[in-house]
Amino acid sequence: MKISDAKVFVGGPAKNYVTLKIMTDQGIYGLGDATLNNRETLPAAYLQDYLIPNLIGMDPRNSEDIWQFFYRGAYFRRGPIAMAAFGAIDMALWDIKGKLANMPLYQLFGGKSREGAMVYAHATGADLEDLMDSISAYVEEGYKAVRVQCGIPGMPSASYATPEKRGNTRNYITSYKGIQPKIEIWDTDRYLRFMPDALAAIRERFGPELKILHDVHHRLTPREAAELAKAVEPTRLFWLEDPTPAENQDVLQLIRQHSTTPIAIGEVFNSIWDCNRLIEDELIDFIRVAVTYAGGITHVKRIVDLAGLHNVRTGFHGAPSHSPISMAAQAHLNAWAPNFGIQEYLVLGTPECDALFPSNHRMENGLVHVSDAPGLGVDFDEKEAERYDYQPGSHPVVRLEDGTVWNY
Ligand code: KDG
Ligand code: MG
């Protein structure tokens, strides 16, 4: 069996999904997602210029060897662009493998450990009351877990808690069009004075059962992060996410020494080498990697297995920048992983996404039920894809009030 051709498509409804389709000489094809939010053309070029010409003629069943060939063969290892490109190839090869075996992927991993995998939605408010309304809407729909982000009184802007109105679409989709980034202003003091009480008020309003998550989006120093994690302990968060950038990882011990609030980190990681120490030293409770820019199913499964040895559960990244292809790959891992924690969930379910990526993965009462179709269980409509083209976008850049550049 040989790979006969491969194509890359860039575009989609509200997002530039990077979709890889690998064709074989036996008519079976596989799909992969190489989307790297706001840098989408780069993994697409890596695939087109370097990887696809090498893929043609390879046996698609040898997914491990192909992964090693590209990873070790690149010489310059890791990095989100390369790992997103390898990730897409890897997903597509697993899709082909599942179709050949006539089995859904979770069966190839070891079968189901659960029927439905718990997801969390994004509730966002311009202020606390607006946020409460947003949470209520999700709770009424049956969500068991909600990430809560809120505008901070007196703080002009901070996109992680954008005052941008949700309008009719309750899915919070960050839309930063254009190559020049929007500037956001951040004020740590205002945030730290406001957020612990706001989270306590949410717990008070929604009771003990709701799983409450909050994303700090790398804005605090380790000492400030320890202060926040300690202050929110009585609220019993499901997790506190990215309280500080995970570059100097030794300092994460400071948070652990001061608090028992569960910590989730890893959405910007792209390899096991970014998180092996955090996992082995049990400095985090949830690992947030994504199958896209962490090298696909083959590599992420290794991270999940390492995490399982150290009381670390999964909480895969699932921002709207991930296409339903990688969300499907994660749905299969979530159905199988003995150390599954939760899944961030935004993309599946919009009519435009469903038309472009038809699938039978189902969301019901806050749980994702994985499809039993062979392979990933998601398709790609090339005709529908012709409606979309690439729209340049950029993440915001954050500055403090005096102009100092800060962490987005
Ligand atoms: O590309 C960046 C987004 O994916 C990120 O800002 C979203 O923090 C995020 C989250 O937790 O989904
Ligand atoms: Mg995050």
Side-chain angles (χ1 to χ4, degrees):
M1 186 176 192
K2 288 198 173 3
I3 294 173
S4 53
D5 198 6
K7 295 194 260 185
V8 183
F9 305 80
V10 183
K15 280 286 161 195
N16 298 307
Y17 297 128
V18 182
T19 303
L20 173 71
K21 183 168 181 175
I22 295 183
M23 276 72 77
T24 66
D25 58 0
Q26 296 187 14
I28 294 176
Y29 61 86
L31 297 170
D33 175 19
T35 309
L36 185 63
N37 201 16
N38 292 323
R39 293 291 184 273
E40 296 89 350
T41 52
L42 305 179
Y46 197 175
L47 281 161
Q48 246 142 6
D49 297 347
Y50 299 100
L51 305 180
I52 290 175
N54 280 290
L55 264 181
I56 312 291
M58 287 180 167
D59 185 334
R61 294 168 297 187
N62 295 334
S63 49
E64 181 69 56
D65 184 66
I66 292 174
W67 196 94
Q68 301 291 340
F69 179 87
F70 287 131
Y71 179 82
R72 293 173 193 260
Y75 186 65
F76 301 103
R77 292 188 185 185
R78 302 158 55 185
I81 297 165
M83 294 301 265
F86 304 161
I89 292 173
D90 187 69
M91 267 177 255
L93 299 182
W94 275 95
D95 194 20
I96 291 168
K97 206 184 295 296
K99 287 171 178 167
L100 279 173
N102 200 26
M103 283 184 191
L105 281 193
Y106 69 81
Q107 289 293 6
L108 303 186
F109 304 154
K112 268 188 202 173
S113 301
R114 60 197 56 77
E115 279 311 316
M118 180 170 62
V119 304
Y120 70 90
H122 281 199
T124 307
D127 54 32
L128 189 52
E129 268 320 297
D130 190 31
L131 174 59
M132 295 284 193
D133 291 347
S134 173
I135 301 170
S136 294
Y138 286 116
V139 168
E140 277 160 30
E141 273 182 36
Y143 282 87
K144 295 159 186 27
V146 185
R147 182 189 92 150
V148 301
Q149 306 298 124
C150 185
I152 311 296
M155 187 143 73
S157 62
S159 62
Y160 91 98
T162 184
E164 194 179 294
K165 285 285 176 189
R166 293 178 304 282
N168 290 330
T169 100
R170 287 195 312 91
N171 268 350
Y172 162 59
I173 294 188
T174 327
S175 162
Y176 295 115
K177 296 204 164 62
I179 287 295
Q180 304 292 334
K182 199 164 103 181
I183 303 297
E184 304 275 353
I185 305 297
W186 175 256
D187 179 334
T188 297
D189 264 1
R190 284 200 173 97
Y191 170 78
L192 284 178
R193 286 199 305 267
F194 174 76
M195 197 42 79
D197 290 347
L199 292 169
I202 293 166
R203 171 63 72 215
E204 179 73 20
R205 175 88 62 101
F206 291 94
E209 292 300 328
L210 182 68
K211 302 202 180 338
I212 301 171
L213 298 78
H214 177 63
D215 190 350
V216 186
H217 226 276
H218 316 111
R219 298 294 159 81
L220 302 178
T221 64
R223 190 213 59 77
E224 292 159 353
E227 179 187 326
L228 177 66
K230 189 165 146 187
V232 299
E233 261 175 25
T235 300
R236 298 188 58 80
L237 294 182
F238 185 83
W239 81 33
L240 189 66
E241 177 181 339
D242 287 332
T244 192
E247 287 167 341
N248 176 359
Q249 301 190 343
D250 287 342
V251 298
L252 287 162
Q253 286 176 17
L254 196 64
I255 305 177
R256 275 293 200 239
Q257 283 158 1
H258 287 87
S259 159
T260 54
T261 295
I263 302 296
I265 294 185
E267 68 179 48
V268 299
F269 292 169
N270 52 71
S271 102
I272 198 165
W273 303 110
D274 293 326
C275 55
N276 63 318
R277 282 193 48 220
L278 291 184
I279 292 171
E280 286 158 8
D281 294 350
E282 304 197 11
L283 295 178
I284 55 174
D285 301 277
F286 296 90
I287 180 70
R288 295 270 294 132
V289 289
V291 291
T292 44
Y293 30 88
I297 292 168
T298 296
H299 195 66
V300 165
K301 201 165 168 302
R302 292 205 164 102
I303 297 175
V304 173
D305 282 332
L306 177 67
L309 301 179
H310 294 283
N311 304 302
V312 176
R313 291 191 282 159
T314 62
F316 296 139
H317 194 222
S321 42
H322 297 285
S323 94
I325 296 171
S326 49
M327 293 302 281
Q330 294 186 169
H332 287 281
L333 287 169
N334 291 337
W336 153 77
N339 52 328
F340 168 74
I342 198 165
Q343 170 66 57
E344 183 177 24
Y345 177 89
L346 282 101
V347 288
L348 305 177
T350 70
E352 294 83 4
C353 258
D354 287 349
L356 187 58
F357 301 101
S359 89
N360 291 322
H361 297 282
R362 274 185 307 116
M363 228 294 286
E364 232 174 71
N365 275 328
L367 304 178
V368 163
H369 298 267
V370 70
S371 163
D372 280 324
L376 285 168
V378 60
D379 211 344
F380 178 66
D381 186 330
E382 290 184 43
K383 197 93 208 107
E384 188 69 20
E386 286 170 12
R387 290 177 53 192
Y388 305 105
D389 53 15
Y390 172 67
Q391 304 290 331
S394 190
H395 286 97
V397 169
V398 176
R399 289 186 184 275
L400 304 181
E401 277 174 309
D402 71 356
T404 309
V405 173
W406 201 238
N407 312 313
Y408 171 60

